[in-house]
Amino acid sequence: MTINLINNISFLIALAAAGQVVVLRLPENTLNRQVLLGLLFGGAALLGMANPVNFAPGVFFDGRSIVLAVAGVVGGGVTAAIAAGMAAFYRYQLGGIGAPVGIIIVLLSALFGVLARQWWLRRTKPPRPIDYLALGVVVQLMQLAAFTQVPNRAGYAFIEQAWWVLLLFYPLTTMLLCLIFRNVEQQLIDKAALQSARDALVAEERASLQRFRAYFEHSSIGFAITSAEKGWLEVNDALCAALGYSRDELTRLTWAELTCPADLPADQMQFDRMLAGEINSYDIDKRFIHKEGHLVETHLAASLVRKPDGGVDYVVAVVEDLSERKQAQRSLAESEARFEGIFEQAAVGIALVATDGRWLRVNGRLCSIVGYTQEELLAKTFQDITHPDDLDADLDQVRRMCAREIDNYSLEKRYYRKNGGIVWINLTVSMVRKNDGAPDYFISVVEDISARKAMEQSLAESQMAALAEEKRAQLAALNLRDEAIAARQQAEAISATLAGQVDELRRWQAAMLGREARIISIKQEVNELLAQSGQPPRYGVQLPTDRVPGVGQIPSKSAGDEA
């Protein structure tokens, strides 16, 4: 029995060695690998059955349950099916009263191995040694239970003698074989991961080199590879365009030859320090001499690349053309200087105001308008010095501008001066926004309109006085009209009275005229009688007048008297 056990252990060791070769040589989960493993495990099961431990005619046991369970765990369904088919067929050929039970043990051992594999694959963690041991115990319990079904109770003798071997050594052997194959598979996984990492690293290095070459060739910034002797080894188009040389022309020159003499000592000092190992890189603003002779302002960043032995290999130089930036900086400085001049020398008050009303910056004219120093005004808000009656209208315009309803606004309002007095101002406000469109600050222009307001008030007062005088004149005219109407009415009354008296005078006048005509007629008759008697006329004859002596023409009432 001992010899047979030793032989079975030898077969299992040989199985493990041969299985490792198959697992290592063939890719995982391929049909060829599964078939070869199935043949290998089936062969090991046959060798075990060829050297069994006999307990009765046709009743024996061996290590096939271990082999077939491990086949299901390592190779899966295909491997287990091939191995179990080979073992079941061979056991059938051996015959005996224990053949049916032996075939059942073969099939169930393989099935338990496959089920355990599927269960473990569903878990996120790999199986533990205790899991393999538990599988071995379950398989051997199944084998002991199966031996009770051998006819004529022939299996009980086997159970009495071998149960401790089955429950002690066989589960341990199952666990060890599973761990051996899992270790081999883990080595394969680690090897594949390592190879994948190496491939990824090589691919990344290749891609990085390609990206660097693309950056080098297509960058808008100048790139160059230079030697320790300051020669240009490689240059890109951007550097050629900045300096005005072709690639062939640049590679025949050194960067020292193209550096402005005034900037060369500082650049040379940093370059020598880098070669000496004191620094690994440096950057500096310097000027190159263009092919046409003018200076090109640049920013140089240089990094040293060393060989594996620590020697100098080459220098990577990044040359950024600063001509446009420098020009923009000069233009900005000039613009800022102009702004400063306008801001400080303006005849009106100018201020930068935060969105919460704090004065951020004020000019001298604004300070003189409100009577505060710059320090005092910067400690306040525009709300602090705004007249309460004007504040709501101003804040409403601020709200509308922040909400983008308006872009700017103007209004007239009153500030309190430091001495408590009131100054009228005309305020014009616009907003500066951030890049994201949010309000940043206000620009306020403040014009002192107190003199204009005083003039407007004086003019208003003059206009009111003139209006009052006009009203008084109108009232006097109305009084005169009333007097004239009364006088006309009185005159009309007098005229009516006189009209009656004139009529009476006219009747009297007519009577007097008739009497005078009669007297004249009598005098004429006397004169005619005297003439007939030869005497001279006694009376002088005067024609009567149509008026009574002393009585003038009295005008009659006409429509014009109503005027």
Side-chain angles (χ1 to χ4, degrees):
M1 179 177 177
T2 302
I3 295 175
N4 289 333
L5 288 176
I6 293 173
N7 288 336
N8 276 276
I9 292 172
S10 300
F11 295 150
L12 294 177
I13 293 173
L15 169 65
Q20 290 185 47
V21 173
V22 174
V23 171
L24 291 173
R25 291 299 179 90
L26 295 177
E28 185 180 5
N29 295 328
T30 61
L31 182 60
N32 289 339
R33 174 178 169 176
Q34 292 174 349
V35 170
L36 286 177
L37 284 175
L39 295 174
L40 178 63
F41 280 104
L46 295 182
L47 290 174
M49 286 188 290
N51 294 274
V53 177
N54 294 298
F55 283 91
V59 179
F60 56 88
F61 87 100
D62 47 62
R64 85 191 84 148
S65 61
I66 300 174
V67 174
L68 295 172
V70 174
V73 171
V74 174
V78 174
T79 299
I82 293 174
M86 293 172 62
F89 179 77
Y90 185 67
R91 182 65 187 88
Y92 175 77
Q93 294 294 325
L94 292 177
I97 60 174
V101 173
I103 294 173
I104 291 173
I105 291 173
V106 167
L107 297 177
L108 290 178
S109 297
L111 178 63
F112 284 1
V114 173
L115 293 176
R117 173 187 174 89
Q118 294 301 319
W119 181 42
W120 291 332
L121 288 176
R122 294 177 181 273
R123 301 193 310 181
T124 56
K125 296 181 179 179
R128 299 166 297 173
I130 190 68
D131 296 327
Y132 296 131
L133 184 64
L135 171 63
V137 171
V138 170
V139 170
Q140 299 312 314
L141 288 174
M142 176 272 299
Q143 183 168 219
L144 289 173
F147 265 95
T148 62
Q149 304 301 314
V150 177
N152 302 324
R153 299 178 61 89
Y156 282 92
F158 164 74
I159 295 173
E160 292 175 357
Q161 298 182 39
W163 68 268
W164 62 275
V165 176
L166 294 179
L167 296 180
L168 179 61
F169 294 107
Y170 274 38
L172 289 174
T173 305
T174 301
M175 179 185 71
L176 291 175
L177 283 175
C178 288
L179 288 174
I180 289 172
F181 279 102
R182 191 185 78 172
N183 183 58
V184 173
E185 289 183 346
Q186 188 62 44
Q187 289 179 5
L188 285 176
I189 293 172
D190 294 341
K191 182 179 179 181
L194 180 60
Q195 185 61 41
S196 177
R198 288 176 178 172
D199 293 342
L201 182 60
V202 171
E204 179 61 26
E205 289 179 350
R206 186 180 296 110
S208 178
L209 182 60
Q210 292 174 348
R211 286 195 299 269
F212 174 77
R213 175 57 60 182
Y215 296 155
F216 188 90
E217 295 295 340
H218 304 294
S219 175
S220 60
I221 299 176
F223 275 92
I225 305 296
T226 68
S227 65
E229 293 76 26
K230 307 180 184 63
W232 305 98
L233 301 178
E234 289 188 54
V235 294
N236 70 346
D237 292 337
L239 183 60
C240 294
L243 301 183
Y245 291 91
S246 66
R247 293 194 182 200
D248 184 60
E249 290 172 332
L250 271 182
T251 53
R252 295 200 213 118
L253 301 170
T254 66
W255 56 259
E257 295 176 287
L258 299 180
T259 300
C260 176
D263 299 338
L264 184 58
D267 194 1
Q268 181 69 59
M269 181 185 68
Q270 296 291 341
F271 187 80
D272 292 341
R273 290 182 62 207
M274 188 170 64
L275 294 181
E278 298 179 14
I279 56 176
N280 294 322
S281 61
Y282 71 93
D283 61 279
I284 189 175
D285 286 345
K286 61 176 288 185
R287 291 166 293 179
F288 281 106
I289 303 173
H290 194 273
K291 184 178 181 179
E292 296 177 355
H294 62 269
L295 296 178
V296 179
E297 295 181 277
T298 67
H299 179 77
L300 169 68
S303 299
L304 181 64
V305 178
R306 295 185 179 275
K307 299 176 181 178
D309 61 2
V312 176
D313 194 357
Y314 57 87
V315 176
V316 177
V318 179
V319 181
E320 183 180 4
D321 188 351
L322 301 181
S323 300
E324 294 184 0
R325 183 187 303 177
K326 291 289 186 180
Q327 181 59 41
Q329 289 175 348
R330 286 190 289 268
S331 299
L332 179 61
E334 294 173 0
S335 177
E336 289 178 347
R338 287 194 298 270
F339 173 77
E340 287 294 328
I342 294 172
F343 190 89
E344 294 299 337
Q345 304 301 323
V348 294
I350 302 177
L352 306 183
V353 185
T355 53
D356 60 359
R358 290 177 295 107
W359 302 99
L360 301 177
R361 186 176 178 186
V362 294
N363 69 348
R365 177 55 182 155
L366 180 58
C367 293
S368 66
I369 290 174
V370 296
Y372 289 95
T373 65
Q374 285 191 351
E375 292 75 13
E376 292 171 335
L377 202 53
L378 293 179
K380 294 181 175 293
T381 66
F382 79 82
Q383 295 94 323
D384 294 336
I385 65 171
T386 298
H387 193 284
D389 294 343
D390 301 335
L391 184 57
D392 289 342
D394 198 357
L395 292 178
D396 183 63
Q397 296 295 327
V398 169
R399 179 196 61 77
R400 293 183 62 203
M401 189 158 56
C402 291
R404 292 184 178 271
E405 295 179 12
I406 55 175
D407 295 327
N408 51 68
Y409 71 91
S410 296
L411 57 80
E412 294 181 356
K413 58 182 284 189
R414 289 163 289 183
Y415 279 147
Y416 281 117
R417 291 177 56 84
K418 182 180 179 180
N419 60 9
I422 292 178
V423 57
W424 275 95
I425 59 103
N426 182 67
L427 175 67
T428 302
V429 182
S430 59
M431 174 174 282
V432 176
R433 296 184 179 274
K434 300 177 182 177
N435 292 334
D436 61 359
D440 195 0
Y441 60 89
F442 302 106
I443 299 177
S444 298
V445 178
V446 179
E447 180 186 1
D448 185 354
I449 60 172
S450 297
R452 194 192 81 194
K453 283 291 184 179
M455 184 180 299
E456 289 176 354
Q457 184 176 1
S458 176
L459 179 60
E461 291 174 354
S462 298
Q463 290 175 343
M464 289 299 293
L467 181 60
E469 184 62 30
E470 181 182 351
K471 293 298 183 183
R472 285 195 294 272
Q474 290 177 354
L475 182 60
L478 289 174
N479 291 335
L480 288 176
R481 179 177 177 83
D482 292 341
E483 292 176 0
I485 292 172
R488 187 177 65 182
Q489 291 174 347
Q490 185 177 6
E492 288 176 351
I494 294 171
S495 176
T497 303
L498 289 176
Q501 294 175 352
V502 168
D503 291 339
E504 184 67 27
L505 287 173
R506 283 177 179 170
R507 287 193 298 272
W508 178 81
Q509 183 183 24
M512 291 298 294
L513 289 175
R515 181 175 175 273
E516 184 179 0
R518 180 62 180 159
I519 292 172
I520 292 174
S521 176
I522 292 172
K523 286 180 177 182
Q524 286 178 346
E525 290 178 356
V526 171
N527 287 337
E528 288 178 356
L529 291 174
L530 290 176
Q532 291 176 0
S533 62
Q535 296 180 15
R538 185 178 178 181
Y539 300 100
V541 179
Q542 184 179 2
L543 294 175
T545 64
D546 58 354
R547 300 176 184 269
V548 178
V551 179
Q553 181 71 32
I554 298 176
S556 62
K557 184 178 178 182
S558 66
D561 293 337
E562 295 294 332

